[in-house]
Amino acid sequence: MDRINVTRSSMPPFEEYCEEIRSIWESRWLTNMGEKHEALTQALREKLEVPGISLFTNGHLALEATLRALDLRGEVITTPFTFASTTHAIARCGLKPVFCDVREGDYTIDPAKIEALITRDTCAILPVHVYGNICDDAAIEAVARAHGLKVIYDAAHAFGERVNGVSVARLGDASMFSFHATKVFHTIEGGAVAYRDEALTTPLQMQKNYGITSPETVEVCGGNSKMSEFQAAMGLCNLRHLDEELAKRFRADARYRERLSGVPGVRLNPIQPGVERNCAYFPVLFDGYKWTRDEVFERLLAHGIRARKYFYPATNAFDCYDADPRKTPVALHLSQCVLCLPMYAGLAQDEVDEICDVLLG
Ligand SMILES: *Cc1c(COP(=O)(O)O)cnc(C)c1O
């Protein structure tokens, strides 16, 4: 049994959640866009400062719904240095993922390498704000505009972040957020799409509720990916405590940086200028360190500390894709030397010290 896990879900006080769900018992309205769903939609629209927001039962289905709602066909340029969900969403929607390498500095898609991958069949770019590192949106937008491509961000790691004062949710044509239990803000399972064009409202709605537009009209072959009232209630509670939870993450992040900065062969996640971070993860690159990433992982495990090889393997090395990871050498290398150390709101200072003691030997 691990004493310190890589993550631990934030929880509101038990009584607060019970109080939040009392009205669900009274109304017996458990799902299908009820009162809690409406309240959370409104709260998130304000929090993320976006014109359009649509809630889903998880982030993955939110991403699939977005790709379908935009009626995309052909090839989507994306990054292999991400969670399975990003690449699977593209493939499961009948689109072809085309893998672009990432930048050495912040692990996000390299805009300079996008253009060479564009063909007649390219319809969109799907970058990832990996570990909350914000993509170079200006450069990505410029390529997209020049070629008439849509930009859909996987913003699963970037909830609540801002870049030069602007909410990250306002970038691109649409951004997917995940509210999975392990994320900075969660609804147990859950997710959302933030978007700027009102015209996406109905297509997204149809994707999550069987294409039903009125009791006797079904316009498209949509699926079911609605967020329930219980999920939305958890979100309303967690949103009230978000700032305290973030402050605790920042304290753990600061302690890690104090202990690990300047250690030869150990590289910490960059702090991007102008970005208000959320400290969602604490990824470390062991590159030329006295121990390999796998050795550090095993040493921590032997002390009851569970880190995570996140992301390893890169998605273009998955058995289910016919791709060659050597074509994205930066992503391949990162996947071999990255390790996410434990990071969550309740991680104590002395636990961070213990983790650092083990990995510094
Ligand atoms: C968590 C995550 C997802 C999927 O979100 P779910 O809510 O778990 O479906 C997609 N992309 C990235 C990068 C993620 O971390």
Side-chain angles (χ1 to χ4, degrees), residues 40 44 48 53-63 83 85-86 128-129 153-160 168 175-194 227 231 238 242 249 278 280-281 308 310:
L40 185 62
L44 289 176
L48 297 174
I53 182 136
S54 188
L55 306 187
F56 284 82
T57 195
N58 62 52
H60 178 80
L61 289 173
L63 189 53
F83 184 53
S85 169
T86 321
V128 183
H129 300 306
Y153 281 108
D154 180 332
H157 293 183
F159 184 83
V168 70
S175 295
M176 176 277 280
F177 291 91
S178 165
F179 306 149
H180 182 257
T182 55
K183 267 41 179 202
V184 166
F185 163 74
H186 79 84
T187 59
I188 310 169
E189 290 272 1
V193 185
M227 179 184 280
Q231 292 170 284
N238 280 336
L242 184 64
R249 282 177 180 269
N278 65 8
Y281 299 91
R308 186 176 176 196
Y310 189 68

Side-chain angles (χ1 to χ4, degrees), residues 261-335:
S261 294
V263 176
V266 172
R267 219 171 92 202
L268 307 185
N269 197 37
I271 296 180
Q272 298 174 300
V275 172
E276 273 175 50
R277 299 183 301 144
N278 65 8
C279 295
Y281 299 91
F282 201 86
V284 176
L285 302 184
F286 294 96
D287 193 4
Y289 187 53
K290 61 178 170 180
W291 296 315
T292 64
R293 182 271 308 272
D294 289 358
E295 284 166 349
V296 175
F297 174 85
E298 292 300 335
R299 273 174 182 268
L300 290 169
L301 202 57
H303 286 80
I305 300 161
R306 165 85 47 184
R308 186 176 176 196
K309 298 175 194 177
Y310 189 68
F311 304 100
Y312 176 79
T315 68
N316 55 356
F318 287 178
D319 291 343
C320 56
Y321 295 113
D322 180 22
D324 182 356
R326 288 168 304 185
K327 287 186 178 163
T328 55
V330 179
L332 178 62
H333 180 67
L334 290 174
S335 73

